[in-house]
Amino acid sequence: MLWLHMGMPKTGTTALQGYVRSNADQLADVGLRYMEAGRRRLEGSTRLAISHNIIAFHINQNQHPMDPFREMMTREYEAHHDQTCLVSSEMFYSCDLTKLAQVFTEIPSRELRITFYCRRYSDFFEADYKQRAKNGRLNSSPSDFVRNRLDRIKANPQSYSFSAKLAQIRQSFPGVQVIPTLYERAEMVRGHVVDDFMAQVGVPLPEGGAIDRPSNPSQSRAASEAFGVVSRAIGRRESRRLRRRVVDDPVMVRRHDVLEPDERAWLDAFLTAEDAPFQQEFFSDRPQLFSPVELSEEEQAFRRDTAKEYDALRRASEIVFRMALET
């Protein structure tokens, strides 16, 4: 069996891939093969990447055929078809699925499974905003970005809905079983994406394959925007290095600080309604697709364009700029 793991982005994909790569030998002993095809550059590099993003880069950056990847994937799968084989990249979620399917055309559809984690719409919106901010990729004010993005979602809900993604997958991979999973930490096996994913594909965790289970705290919007200034000024690599440092200051760690409460409620309700058929097919036993979110009093009072939020950005910027100057 070959499992094609497609993310979605911001659902612990890197943590899963890091665990699988670091414990490849132990996992092989219990029946999991983390496929090398697609993790090695076509020009013959000996280094194996953490993920199969190389395939997605090939799809996105040129019009060359997928034949080399298909040939490598087919050969490796034929040699290890008696194991649980894994291909993983969160970039697959948004790439050209028709071209991606060409990599797996020689693998029988009955031996292929496609899976992805579904993250709450508002939580993904927040995580995506912060990632763009940290990389210095916001070209407008925070509120302009949020309102423009919400308007685009309202006009074209298929850009965010799981129902639309499912239809794209089925069109590109006819006859392949698709198994979506909700990214709800409280409902995951032992509360961690690695334990949860391994249970889903039926591979026991090996002895000695330790998992760093505590999740990374969510950086605040203010911290993300401050790191974005560093990214634009001295480069994303230096910004990423600084972000790895732990800063014990509440202004640097915060959740639910991108969407205002009424925006969050609207987005979740609007897309939940759009995904009613998706829920009925895969999660019909749930009263609603995602569990309700209980916002604290402070989170309920959150508004972006206030003196309090501008002061948070000032304080976060001072911390980040001091970090940059200390290096």
Side-chain angles (χ1 to χ4, degrees), residues 5 8-17 119 183 185 193-194:
H5 172 231
M8 59 183 294
K10 318 311 293 184
T11 57
T13 307
T14 303
L16 172 63
Q17 293 162 347
R119 186 163 186 177
Y183 188 74
R185 285 189 179 275
V193 67
V194 171

Side-chain angles (χ1 to χ4, degrees), residues 142-270:
S143 285
D144 283 346
F145 177 91
V146 168
R147 289 164 186 156
N148 289 338
R149 178 58 63 91
L150 291 177
D151 285 344
R152 281 157 50 190
I153 292 172
K154 185 176 182 179
N156 181 27
Q158 291 78 15
S159 63
Y160 252 60
S161 79
F162 302 123
S163 297
K165 182 57 61 178
L166 177 66
Q168 293 171 12
I169 294 171
R170 284 176 166 165
Q171 182 176 12
S172 300
F173 292 86
V176 174
Q177 185 176 356
V178 184
I179 306 174
T181 304
L182 298 182
Y183 188 74
E184 294 265 33
R185 285 189 179 275
E187 300 176 17
M188 289 181 177
V189 176
R190 287 186 285 277
H192 196 279
V193 67
V194 171
D195 302 74
D196 194 74
F197 185 85
M198 291 303 168
Q200 180 183 164
V201 302
V203 174
L205 289 175
E207 294 293 330
I211 301 174
D212 182 17
R213 286 193 172 83
S215 59
N216 294 327
S218 178
Q219 286 184 331
S220 66
R221 178 173 64 93
S224 301
E225 292 169 5
F227 281 119
V229 176
V230 174
S231 293
R232 291 190 296 271
I234 57 179
R236 294 180 186 175
R237 179 175 295 181
E238 180 64 16
S239 178
R240 285 195 297 270
R241 189 185 67 80
L242 293 175
R243 295 200 302 264
R244 296 189 188 104
R245 295 172 57 179
V246 176
V247 178
D248 186 19
D249 192 302
V251 77
M252 300 295 287
V253 179
R254 190 177 174 191
R255 296 184 61 212
H256 301 152
D257 57 344
V258 173
L259 291 167
E260 296 181 1
D262 59 335
E263 296 168 335
R264 174 178 292 275
W266 175 84
L267 179 62
D268 286 337
F270 177 70

